[in-house]
Amino acid sequence: MNKEQIQEKVITILKKYTRQPEVWATANNTSKIITDLKINSARIVDITLDFEDTFDIAIDNPDMDRIITIENAVEVIIELLNK
Amino acid sequence: MYLVGNDIVDLQHPDNQNKASNIRLLKKILTPLEILTVQQAANPNTMLWLLWSCKEAAYKVAIKMGIQPFNDATQISIDFNNTNNLLYCGTAVVKNIQCFTKTILSNNYAYSIASKQPCIFNKIQGTIINIKSCKNNTIKTQLLQHIAKIYNININNLSIQKNANTQIPFIQYKKQPLLQFDISFTHDGKWAAYIYYLH
């Protein structure tokens, strides 16, 4: 799976938890998941579990802390896939 | 400076249902002791969100005190020291910062407020609204209307801004911050709430 395919899957998962779809009109790689995409902080754990299931990886809590932006999520997933 | 934080969880929202039986989820957001508290509760799902709302309210206070934002909620621990069916008072430790929490539970929501000083709980003002029934009057507008009334000023000169780095909200009057107010907002599902402390 290349970076673009991973990013596409990440965005699909994030969109599932977006309650204000209009935020995607201005979203980019550096968009912050909670503040820019307006995703409720309680959903971060659901998103993390979806990442784990989709990419068959285990994201520990320190790695979860690194996921602030879309780009961060893609980076963490790539790192874990390469381990 | 007295700092306040709040958080509400819509207990009826589909996204918040049947989460307490998911041990993977619990391990990502709760400490081992909190997991035990959830598993032994009469209503585990409600206890999960009750703990979560305490954590979020305390986190908002800690962020205002300057700690760096983080996602790992296991770094916040909650210990209830006084509870009944509808009111839970507790202590939160956010990394090395201690706060106090007070949570109201209803069938519809778990609503927590937090502060470093429990003595100010009785002086914290605020309200909870059902968003669906107040479509033309958002929670932020309600707070501004309230403040305009307190000071007898034009609401058009008031606004709510957010610090670009920390995302901490504050009130502005004629482009100047109103520093005597510490405010906090929360919403989830059909519920929203604000609190403020007037110094």
Side-chain angles (χ1 to χ4, degrees):
Chain A
M1 205 181 303
N2 62 34
K3 189 177 177 181
E4 286 69 34
Q5 289 169 321
I6 291 169
Q7 183 165 305
E8 196 178 315
K9 286 183 183 230
V10 163
I11 289 172
T12 303
I13 290 167
L14 293 174
K15 281 185 173 173
K16 200 167 96 180
Y17 296 99
T18 309
R19 291 182 188 172
Q20 296 178 32
E22 64 275 13
V23 298
W24 287 97
T26 53
N28 58 44
N29 280 350
T30 59
S31 295
K32 292 180 178 172
I33 294 171
I34 293 175
T35 54
D36 296 332
L37 302 181
K38 312 286 182 199
I39 290 175
N40 190 303
S41 56
R43 302 285 77 82
I44 290 296
V45 67
D46 293 315
I47 289 166
T48 305
L49 293 176
D50 279 3
F51 288 162
E52 289 187 339
D53 294 340
T54 302
F55 298 103
D56 195 20
I57 53 175
I59 301 175
D60 60 20
N61 287 12
D63 279 335
M64 199 161 84
D65 255 349
R66 293 167 54 205
I67 302 177
I68 307 294
T69 65
I70 296 175
E71 198 170 41
N72 296 151
V74 174
E75 285 164 358
V76 167
I77 290 164
I78 289 173
E79 273 180 38
L80 293 171
L81 283 171
N82 288 335
K83 263 188 181 174
Chain B
M1 185 85 171
Y2 295 120
L3 304 172
V4 295
N6 68 345
D7 189 72
I8 197 161
V9 176
D10 183 341
L11 296 175
Q12 304 300 329
H13 194 282
D15 285 350
N16 297 329
Q17 304 305 307
N18 306 317
K19 300 283 188 180
S21 55
N22 185 341
I23 190 67
R24 282 173 64 208
L25 181 145
L26 297 185
K27 282 182 176 175
K28 287 194 185 299
I29 59 176
L30 301 179
T31 65
L33 196 61
E34 290 162 357
I35 292 174
L36 204 61
T37 304
V38 167
Q39 290 173 334
Q40 292 177 345
N43 187 331
N45 208 57
T46 298
M47 181 55 72
L48 164 62
W49 294 121
L50 199 157
L51 285 162
W52 175 264
S53 72
C54 290
K55 287 183 183 226
E56 280 288 298
Y59 174 81
K60 288 177 183 176
V61 173
I63 289 289
K64 288 177 178 179
M65 294 180 69
I67 68 157
Q68 289 301 306
F70 60 92
N71 292 329
D72 179 7
T74 64
Q75 293 183 58
I76 307 168
S77 62
I78 305 295
D79 184 20
F80 293 125
N81 44 42
N82 188 1
T83 68
N84 65 39
N85 285 339
L86 302 174
L87 183 67
Y88 289 72
C89 297
T91 306
V93 179
V94 186
K95 295 193 171 176
N96 59 348
I97 294 172
Q98 187 186 54
C99 297
F100 296 89
T101 62
K102 190 172 165 184
T103 306
I104 299 165
L105 197 60
S106 80
N107 286 333
N108 294 315
Y109 54 75
Y111 178 58
S112 296
I113 60 174
S115 171
K116 266 198 74 65
Q117 299 85 2
C119 57
I120 69 162
F121 276 150
N122 291 339
K123 296 174 186 167
I124 294 173
Q125 304 288 316
T127 196
I128 303 170
I129 66 165
N130 183 326
I131 297 169
K132 307 287 180 196
S133 60
C134 303
K135 276 186 180 165
N136 298 321
N137 198 357
T138 67
I139 195 76
K140 291 182 179 175
T141 309
Q142 287 208 13
L143 174 58
L144 293 182
Q145 284 171 341
H146 185 73
I147 290 168
K149 199 173 168 186
I150 292 174
Y151 286 100
N152 194 23
I153 53 179
N154 187 336
I155 191 171
N156 295 327
N157 291 323
L158 286 169
S159 65
I160 292 165
Q161 305 292 326
K162 273 187 178 177
N163 179 297
N165 294 322
T166 62
Q167 296 295 310
I168 296 170
F170 62 92
I171 295 172
Q172 207 167 251
Y173 176 62
K174 291 186 175 176
K175 312 286 182 197
Q176 295 296 316
L178 272 181
L179 295 175
Q180 60 268 50
F181 279 97
D182 188 53
I183 60 173
S184 181
F185 295 98
T186 177
H187 78 273
D188 186 40
K190 64 181 176 185
W191 299 100
Y194 71 75
I195 53 172
Y196 71 86
Y197 181 80
L198 179 57
H199 295 110

